[in-house]
């Protein structure tokens, strides 16, 4: 029987990006809020999707609606 690897934890920045995305902010607005580049925001979103096993933007949006409490 193959041992399952633990699910990687999300970084603080990734959690911040998720919370701001939940508020319907654009990548540019998220970047301005966090004082990072838009490409970094996209990278964080990509990493979140990979860590959570989400395939595509629609699954990411569905995750935001169903799993992230409103802040």
């Amino acid at each position: 029987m193959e041992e399952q690897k633990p699910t990687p934890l999300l970084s603080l920045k990734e959690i911040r990006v998720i919370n701001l995305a939940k508020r319907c902010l654009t990548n540019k607005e998220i970047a301005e809020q966090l004082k990072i580049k838009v490409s970094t925001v996209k990278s964080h979103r990509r990493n979140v999707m990979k860590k959570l096993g989400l395939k595509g933007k629609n699954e990411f949006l569905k995750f935001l609606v169903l799993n992230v409490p409103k802040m």
Side-chain angles (χ1 to χ4, degrees):
M1 182 180 242
E2 187 176 313
E3 187 177 324
Q4 289 185 342
K5 294 180 182 179
T7 304
L9 298 175
L10 299 177
S11 72
L12 183 57
K13 283 281 186 169
E14 291 167 344
I15 292 168
R16 288 180 179 162
V17 167
I18 289 171
N19 285 327
L20 292 171
K22 175 72 175 182
R23 293 174 33 202
C24 300
L25 271 62
T26 65
N27 286 342
K28 183 178 179 185
E29 291 168 330
I30 293 170
E32 289 170 357
Q33 288 261 333
L34 298 179
K35 297 178 178 30
I36 58 177
K37 294 180 180 183
V38 173
S39 60
T40 305
V41 173
K42 291 178 182 180
S43 177
H44 286 313
R45 288 176 71 132
R46 230 180 357 261
N47 291 340
V48 167
M49 291 174 60
K50 184 176 180 179
K51 288 179 180 182
L52 299 179
L54 304 173
K55 306 283 189 240
K57 191 182 283 188
N58 287 338
E59 282 191 25
F60 182 75
L61 294 174
K62 190 174 181 180
F63 166 79
L64 291 178
V65 171
L66 298 176
N67 297 297
V68 179
K70 288 190 175 184
M71 301 302 279

